[in-house]
Amino acid sequence: MAMPTIYDVARHAGVSPATVSRVLNGRSTVDAGLRDRVNAAAAQLGYRPNSLARNLRRSTTNLWAVVISDINNPFFTALVRGVEDVGQGLGYSVVLCNSDENPDKEADYLRALLADQISGFIVSPTSRTENLAALHEAGRAVVAIDRRPRNLAVDTVLVDNEHGAREATTHLIEQGFRRIACITGPARLSTASRRLRGYRSALRAAGIEPDPALERHADFRQRGGYTAMANLLAARPAPDAVFVTNNLMTVGALECLADNDIRIPDQVGVVGFDDVPWATFIRPPLSTVTQPTYELGRTAATLLKARIDDPDRPPETATLHTTLHARASSRRP
Amino acid sequence: MAMPTIYDVARHAGVSPATVSRVLNGRSTVDAGLRDRVNAAAAQLGYRPNSLARNLRRSTTNLWAVVISDINNPFFTALVRGVEDVGQGLGYSVVLCNSDENPDKEADYLRALLADQISGFIVSPTSRTENLAALHEAGRAVVAIDRRPRNLAVDTVLVDNEHGAREATTHLIEQGFRRIACITGPARLSTASRRLRGYRSALRAAGIEPDPALERHADFRQRGGYTAMANLLAARPAPDAVFVTNNLMTVGALECLADNDIRIPDQVGVVGFDDVPWATFIRPPLSTVTQPTYELGRTAATLLKARIDDPDRPPETATLHTTLHARASSRRP
DNA sequence: CTGTTAGCGCATTCAC
DNA sequence: GTGAATGCGCTAACAG
């Protein structure tokens, strides 16, 4: 019933525990004959190293923690999947935590995980940088994802938010929309502010002065998108298009437009940031700025591994690119 | 920089490490004065118990593993969130693994996790029961979720699949649909077969003999739903409605219907199993059988805790209830 | 190249 | 009610 230990294997193979350890970890070179005997014994006993003991001894773990800010957002789960696939290949298990965009919850998690000897962290940071900074100062490998932490030099994986937003907005302008609104996220998150900036810069490039009355900050969730859209519809003169800076808020905005029987794109053109699986078959199909979500996760995992292997390398920022998918929701006849 | 150990706290408080341990675990009774000194010292040093050492000693962990079959399915992520919230409250961290509906990948994960001294498992099992059985025989606490494992008596959390499917199908019949098709999942999964059974029984109750030409088995993913729907559209006489037994396949089926310019519900009525956030604002709004997803996760977590606390209690099955949301996609004028 | 030894940090005997 | 001693299973020094 009890799992066999390294001593059982050693006895079975007629060698010392140290030799078993060496064979299993392939660190030191071992005589081929002994190696085979050890492997045979391990296989026969169904031996699996006890990670607790191994990790206690090495004072590290084979665990990565991914702390995301909204587990109900498919953007983050796709990303986690990228992390997981790479981590799995490297022998790491992935612990998933959901901070719910709540700095306190994030702090709790990180504090607990710090004590858990987790060997690497991938975090989509809330606004409060101290949580991440504490990890970083404790010497843990940390990669920030999706958002740039303020005043903290850690490896970071982002998309080109400003460029993606500019592209979306320019597309709306080219289609003849003029009073283009923007629903973005909390001002404290870099994702939200960069996308807003891209939106503004596209307007200015077209000779349109950004109008604060057409900008809204919401919470990156469905309900927030709904409310912001309802609010925008009351603006006078009303917007003729809207650029929504994340997927969940886009759902909310569309729901609001539907509730108000507003025709898309005739009355209001729509472009959303981040893809959704149903973009192509709703009527009209939804224009989106697609992020390479899975690839973001893979990249973060790769950076994390590099950081673990060489804690002293200079911090690096990887910026991946977005793609505009212009569909009928933003097309003027 | 190194984290303080129990010895540091002991020295600081002028007591023995054993006393510190006792205070921290509250098992044995300790003099109030000493207790306060220990707590003060621990707080001052920012002491956090090293879980590796603690768990090695106790030969268990504070880790739960959730092995789900598709991390891209919001159904499963919502469920995980339920598990996580309960686990977190009880002091457990949750490791998330994604078997991708692949029994080999599931086996790999479970084998690795078995060696990791994970204290509890929540699994949406693939068809191969041996993987779960191995865990169970090794004495680990296991809860199956979403699907009933064949020939294995473990705690299980399900919804009333047959009832939900019957309700959906009856609704379609009441609306006047007569050639009602069903797209269900792989026959080897209990979820798929129970929902198919509910569909058939509703037909029979209405005096309609189930027609094998209107039944399709797909893979519970979007592409599978698309293909099955395309395939059904070629059936003669064609179906006038379709009941799709999970959310991702419903997306695929809707996509296929849109591609073929088929009007819903005039030409084909649609009911999907499991809710989606955009059900209400697509046109026509989508009828769904809603599952209490988050609650499923919470229930599984509660059962798991009960199992850990009392390994000998008889296995229990919790069955939660679905709700039919009849919307325009299944309504005949 | 291989075996012996020690200790990672903690919880738990066992004495007192 | 408290402290000293032991070992969970493993890997890293150190000898040989």
Side-chain angles (χ1 to χ4, degrees), chain A residues 56-77:
Chain A
L56 176 60
R57 182 58 233 245
R58 290 185 179 161
S59 65
T60 179
T61 61
N62 56 348
L63 248 39
W64 283 354
V66 179
V67 183
I68 60 181
S69 43
D70 186 358
I71 200 183
N72 285 331
N73 186 337
F75 166 77
F76 286 114
T77 54

Side-chain angles (χ1 to χ4, degrees), chain A residues 3-327:
Chain A
M3 312 250 335
T5 75
I6 207 169
Y7 283 89
D8 299 320
V9 178
R11 204 174 320 117
H12 213 80
V15 298
S16 78
T19 300
V20 176
S21 173
R22 282 191 268 259
V23 171
L24 263 36
N25 294 294
R27 295 190 185 280
S28 181
T29 167
V30 175
D31 177 83
L34 289 192
R35 177 163 41 71
D36 294 345
R37 264 159 57 201
V38 168
N39 283 329
Q44 189 183 342
L45 295 175
Y47 170 78
R48 310 230 66 199
N50 178 321
S51 348
L52 285 175
R54 160 179 290 178
N55 292 331
L56 176 60
R57 182 58 233 245
R58 290 185 179 161
S59 65
T60 179
T61 61
N62 56 348
L63 248 39
W64 283 354
V66 179
V67 183
I68 60 181
S69 43
D70 186 358
I71 200 183
N72 285 331
N73 186 337
F75 166 77
F76 286 114
T77 54
L79 187 158
V80 168
R81 175 137 189 209
V83 173
E84 196 193 16
D85 285 355
V86 172
Q88 172 77 354
L90 296 169
Y92 293 94
S93 294
V94 175
V95 183
L96 181 65
C97 306
N98 176 38
S99 72
D100 246 341
E101 211 68 272
N102 177 343
D104 291 332
K105 213 169 156 188
E106 178 186 84
D108 285 347
Y109 265 123
L110 293 184
R111 216 180 0 236
L113 293 168
L114 183 60
D116 282 352
Q117 309 290 110
I118 301 281
S119 68
F121 293 81
I122 294 177
V123 183
S124 70
T126 63
S127 47
R128 206 196 296 157
T129 309
E130 299 88 71
N131 299 339
L132 258 203
L135 273 188
H136 185 236
E137 280 154 25
R140 302 308 167 87
V142 175
V143 175
I145 195 159
D146 184 53
R147 303 151 183 195
R148 181 181 291 294
R150 295 187 187 282
N151 310 318
L152 185 62
V154 295
D155 296 303
T156 305
V157 181
L158 303 171
V159 294
D160 191 341
N161 288 302
E162 199 165 337
H163 174 263
R166 200 159 43 224
E167 204 172 21
T169 310
T170 301
H171 161 69
L172 285 167
I173 297 170
E174 285 170 357
Q175 291 293 317
F177 295 101
R178 280 300 168 269
R179 288 196 43 83
I180 302 170
C182 179
I183 301 176
T184 193
R188 61 180 193 280
L189 299 181
S190 71
T191 338
S193 53
R194 304 296 292 224
R195 290 174 193 171
L196 179 61
R197 193 186 305 180
Y199 153 84
R200 286 177 181 163
S201 96
L203 291 181
R204 290 212 185 85
I208 304 173
E209 187 52 30
D211 178 354
L214 293 180
E215 296 175 358
R216 292 291 182 282
H217 287 276
D219 62 356
F220 271 150
R221 306 200 180 184
Q222 182 167 347
R223 183 167 314 236
Y226 189 105
T227 309
M229 190 70 239
N231 201 279
L232 277 172
L233 289 176
R236 289 294 169 270
D240 61 0
V242 61
F243 167 53
V244 192
T245 69
N246 97 329
N247 52 0
L248 297 185
M249 292 198 305
T250 305
V251 175
L254 290 174
E255 189 182 8
C256 175
L257 292 171
D259 282 355
N260 288 278
D261 290 320
I262 290 180
R263 291 187 313 278
I264 302 172
D266 310 335
Q267 291 175 272
V268 173
V270 179
V271 179
F273 207 103
D274 203 29
D275 215 351
V276 286
W278 37 271
T280 59
F281 75 79
I282 62 168
R283 290 295 172 262
L286 177 67
S287 300
T288 57
V289 178
T290 301
Q291 302 190 63
T293 332
Y294 178 78
E295 209 50 52
L296 282 169
R298 292 191 60 95
T299 306
T302 308
L303 282 183
L304 185 59
K305 180 64 164 80
R307 170 70 44 206
I308 290 170
D309 290 344
D310 175 9
D312 296 325
R313 62 198 287 280
E316 185 177 322
T317 294
T319 305
L320 306 193
H321 296 292
T322 58
T323 313
L324 174 66
H325 289 275
R327 304 194 182 97

